[in-house]
């Protein structure tokens, strides 16, 4: 398989504080398996205290791309991210796109992958607030249903995905990477 031979490439999309923390753990795991990672920071959190400090203090490699997209309404932000992430997926030709959580960055990454027929993996899949008035809830649901591999942190999240019609073969119960 490509992983065993060290030929796999993952394009990771992050943009918010919790994603930086989670990606530090996963990025280190990818490195130990000789999986190449192309890290994209959308710029959703652009303040020094909300992004750069995490890269510095957690030893996360600097992103290969920083889109600098922040502010504006959800549609504008997500649309701009989708356009730029799509360009990077076409350019970088990853084997997988990896997204985290429930932000506009997450949705844009999963949509870009889906539309380009590149498999997408979602960390924190299946989490729900059951409040569809929250933009993050819509991002979660759409990302889960657009993704090919779902990393559910809890049994409740795993069961939620099953109840939404996602096949068990696409779901892995992984635990919480923050822990």
């Amino acid at each position: 398989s490509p992983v065993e031979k060290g030929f796999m490439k993952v394009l990771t999309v992050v943009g918010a504080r919790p994603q930086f923390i989670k990606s530090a753990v996963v990025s280190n795991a990818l490195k130990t398996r000789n999986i190449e990672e192309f890290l994209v920071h959308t710029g959703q959190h652009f303040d020094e205290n909300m992004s750069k400090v995490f890269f510095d203090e957690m030893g996360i490699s600097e992103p290969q791309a920083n889109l600098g997209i922040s502010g504006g309404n959800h549609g504008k932000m997500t649309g701009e991210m989708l356009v730029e992430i799509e360009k990077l997926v076409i350019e970088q030709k990853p084997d997988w796109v990896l997204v985290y959580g429930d932000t506009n960055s997450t949705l844009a990454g999963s949509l870009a992958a889906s539309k380009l027929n590149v498999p997408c993996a979602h960390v924190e899949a299946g989490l729900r607030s059951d409040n569809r008035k929250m933009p993050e809830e819509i991002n979660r649901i759409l990302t889960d249903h657009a993704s090919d591999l779902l990393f559910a942190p809890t049994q409740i999240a795993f069961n939620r995905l099953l109840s939404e019609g996602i096949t068990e073969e696409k779901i892995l119960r992984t635990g919480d990477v923050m822990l």
Side-chain angles (χ1 to χ4, degrees):
S1 81
V3 177
E4 292 167 359
K5 296 177 182 173
F7 296 129
M8 182 170 276
K9 183 176 186 176
V10 173
L11 185 140
T12 299
V13 178
V14 295
R17 286 179 290 182
Q19 295 170 335
F20 304 141
I21 296 167
K22 293 169 196 149
S23 72
V25 175
V26 176
S27 292
N28 286 334
L30 294 175
K31 284 178 195 166
T32 65
R33 289 162 180 81
N34 293 320
I35 297 173
E36 181 183 349
E37 182 178 37
F38 186 91
L39 186 61
V40 178
H41 179 354
T42 63
Q44 188 166 338
H45 283 173
F46 58 93
D47 183 292
E48 281 278 315
N49 294 324
M50 295 179 82
S51 62
K52 188 174 184 316
V53 68
F54 286 95
F55 290 96
D56 293 343
E57 290 184 10
M58 297 190 74
I60 305 170
S61 299
E62 284 292 318
Q64 283 91 343
N66 187 331
L67 306 181
I69 299 169
S70 63
N73 65 34
H74 290 285
K76 180 180 184 298
M77 183 186 294
T78 306
E80 289 177 1
M81 289 176 186
L82 173 59
V83 168
E84 296 305 316
I85 294 168
E86 183 180 66
K87 289 177 189 174
L88 289 169
V89 171
I90 291 168
E91 172 190 298
Q92 293 299 315
K93 298 175 181 43
D95 298 292
W96 284 86
V97 171
L98 179 62
V99 297
Y100 294 83
D102 60 9
T103 65
N104 293 332
S105 303
T106 306
L107 179 59
S110 67
L111 286 174
S114 178
K115 289 178 177 292
L116 293 170
N117 295 309
V118 175
C120 183
H122 182 208
V123 174
E124 287 194 321
L127 298 181
R128 299 290 184 268
S129 68
D130 293 316
N131 180 355
R132 291 181 70 109
K133 292 181 181 177
M134 294 174 54
E136 295 84 2
E137 183 76 348
I138 302 303
N139 291 347
R140 289 181 197 113
I141 293 167
L142 294 175
T143 297
D144 284 342
H145 286 269
S147 294
D148 301 280
L149 183 58
L150 300 153
F151 297 117
T154 65
Q155 189 63 46
I156 292 168
F158 185 95
N159 293 343
R160 175 56 79 106
L161 293 167
L162 291 175
S163 76
E164 292 178 3
I166 296 173
T167 60
E168 191 169 346
E169 296 78 37
K170 292 174 70 172
I171 310 167
L172 291 173
R173 183 167 170 227
T174 56
D176 185 345
V177 292
M178 290 281 275
L179 296 175

